Amino acid sequence: MSTSFLSNTSNAAAQSNTPGDISKDVVLTNPPEDGISDVSFSPTHDYLALASWDKQVRIYEISATGESKPQAKIDHEGPVFTCCWTKDGTKVVGAGADKAARMLDLQTNATSQVAAHEQPIRCARFVEVNGTAGPILVTGSWDKTVKYWDLRQPTAIASLDCQERVYTLDSKNKLLVIGTADRYINIVNLDQPGKFYKTLQSPLKWQTRVVSCFTDATGFAVGSIEGRCAIQYVEDKDSNANFSFKCHRQTPPNTRDVANVYSVNAISFHPEHGTFSTAGSDGTFHFWDGNAKHRLKGYPEVGGTISATAFNRTGSIFAYAVSYDWSKGYSMNTPQMPNKLMLHPVQPDECKPRAKPAGKR
């Protein structure tokens, strides 16, 4: 009888003062043939979507034992940069270098084009907007626009002009956060989707790599190429809780005042605890408690850069792509570069918020 892969890690690995255990992590079977650019779990089932530079989005079923089975795919005409699910888990969208977003309906197995831009589409999310009958797809492009798409209509129902190319976006409830080149961050209240609620410069000094919304939609995390992460609240009344911290940096042996700095490529929030992960070009991932300003667990290097991450809907599985992130240019994308998707069984204490000291609220 097979053993649930979620119970294979020892409790000792969940102690915050010891390195995390990745020895029980399970490799996805039949991975993409080229670099993995995005990872997204279904919000209703244990299905996993992967966007890849091999011009496909692949959908896998993930079992309780960590076994993976390919279920479907979406073919594109260029590298795919992003993928996302509808709230009911029946549809998957991929978008990328071919300047189009394509949707697969898992109930009918039909594929259709649902969005288009003048330049490649870097990121996409499904959101809910008042006054619309169904899910709305939001796409962000290097053409410096963010567009809203009703899946039943051939043209965008609304558009936002950004200051620069869109590099990243994320949404939770009524919050939409857009990160662009030149470190602009635009915040949208989806009750008023046609305008920016607030625009600010990133609190980090270098290029924005990723934004990720809190589970309660009160703010977001920002990761940059400088090995830093920032925690940022939307409302000014909460600004005293904003902070940033160094991560994904390494000090070479026998040196002082020198650090190798790596990009923060991915930030994922745990759906139950509200804690979060960071992963980067140094090939490591970490779990953090933002409220306590505390690292819950750090993990050893996985043998290559980590390009994308995601928790499943219950937070019991953490998926991370060990794949080239282009941080060292085209010449470093060699056949020896690993390209795989790993499934980490999350033990209860690994992502649990730090206990508050007795007597403190």
Side-chain angles (χ1 to χ4, degrees):
M1 185 172 69
S2 62
T3 303
S4 171
F5 115 106
L6 298 179
S7 63
N8 281 346
T9 305
S10 68
N11 289 332
Q15 302 302 313
S16 62
N17 59 348
T18 59
D21 182 12
I22 59 172
S23 65
K24 307 297 190 300
D25 294 4
V26 177
V27 63
L28 185 85
T29 57
N30 299 307
E33 298 174 3
D34 205 341
I36 300 168
S37 51
D38 199 13
V39 179
S40 181
F41 274 102
S42 164
T44 58
H45 299 87
D46 281 329
Y47 287 100
L48 177 67
L50 300 184
S52 170
W53 281 73
D54 68 2
K55 306 179 184 181
Q56 289 187 339
V57 174
R58 289 173 171 82
I59 296 93
Y60 301 82
E61 182 179 9
I62 308 299
S63 73
T65 57
E67 297 171 350
S68 49
K69 182 180 178 181
Q71 293 292 319
K73 65 179 181 179
I74 309 172
D75 290 317
H76 286 252
E77 296 176 4
V80 190
F81 298 152
T82 185
C83 57
C84 60
W85 296 79
T86 53
K87 189 176 181 180
D88 64 4
T90 63
K91 300 175 181 67
V92 187
V93 161
D98 61 3
K99 309 175 188 177
R102 291 176 169 81
M103 182 180 72
L104 171 66
D105 187 325
L106 293 176
Q107 295 177 322
T108 64
N109 207 34
T111 302
S112 58
Q113 182 173 329
V114 292
H117 279 260
E118 294 180 1
Q119 294 294 329
I121 300 173
R122 181 61 184 87
C123 37
R125 291 290 186 275
F126 278 101
V127 300
E128 294 185 2
V129 177
N130 290 339
T132 58
I136 300 298
L137 178 67
V138 176
T139 53
S141 169
W142 292 345
D143 66 11
K144 305 182 184 180
T145 68
V146 168
K147 294 184 178 182
Y148 298 87
W149 306 86
D150 185 324
L151 302 180
R152 301 164 300 176
Q153 300 182 25
T155 57
I157 60 173
S159 181
L160 292 168
D161 292 326
C162 297
Q163 305 86 345
E164 253 291 355
R165 291 155 292 164
V166 177
Y167 284 166
T168 176
L169 64 76
D170 194 27
S171 180
K172 187 70 175 180
N173 301 337
K174 296 296 183 180
L175 176 65
L176 173 66
V177 181
I178 305 158
T180 77
D182 285 350
R183 300 171 42 246
Y184 287 103
I185 294 178
N186 299 308
I187 300 170
V188 178
N189 177 351
L190 289 171
D191 283 334
Q192 298 178 301
K195 65 178 184 179
F196 296 140
Y197 175 71
K198 186 180 289 188
T199 293
L200 60 140
Q201 208 83 28
S202 169
L204 306 178
K205 295 179 180 179
W206 297 93
Q207 182 188 104
T208 301
R209 196 79 172 90
V210 60
V211 296
S212 183
C213 294
F214 298 172
T215 52
D216 64 3
T218 59
F220 53 93
V222 185
S224 76
I225 63 170
E226 66 189 285
R228 266 186 189 274
C229 179
I231 298 299
Q232 191 79 20
Y233 285 82
V234 172
E235 302 299 339
D236 292 340
K237 64 181 178 63
D238 300 320
S239 61
N240 60 344
N242 296 340
F243 70 96
S244 64
F245 61 95
K246 297 176 182 178
C247 53
H248 301 282
R249 299 184 176 202
Q250 297 177 358
T251 301
N254 305 317
T255 60
R256 293 183 61 186
D257 303 322
V258 174
N260 294 328
V261 179
Y262 297 87
S263 171
V264 179
N265 292 332
I267 300 173
S268 299
F269 278 86
H270 191 279
E272 179 182 344
H273 299 309
T275 52
F276 64 95
S277 65
T278 63
S281 297
D282 60 340
T284 69
F285 64 92
H286 307 265
F287 295 149
W288 308 86
D289 181 346
N291 291 330
K293 300 181 180 180
H294 175 73
R295 188 178 75 164
L296 297 169
K297 184 66 66 178
Y299 295 80
E301 292 184 38
V302 298
T305 58
I306 300 177
S307 59
T309 63
F311 286 101
N312 70 337
R313 70 190 192 282
T314 61
S316 59
I317 301 173
F318 177 70
Y320 59 95
V322 184
S323 188
Y324 190 49
D325 64 353
W326 301 96
S327 59
K328 293 186 178 180
Y330 174 80
S331 62
M332 294 300 292
N333 188 25
T334 65
Q336 290 72 40
M337 187 68 64
N339 189 62
K340 59 185 178 179
L341 190 286
M342 302 299 297
L343 300 168
H344 174 75
V346 179
Q347 294 302 296
D349 291 339
E350 282 185 296
C351 292
K352 209 169 187 179
R354 191 180 190 186
K356 294 181 180 179
K360 287 192 176 183
R361 292 186 177 184

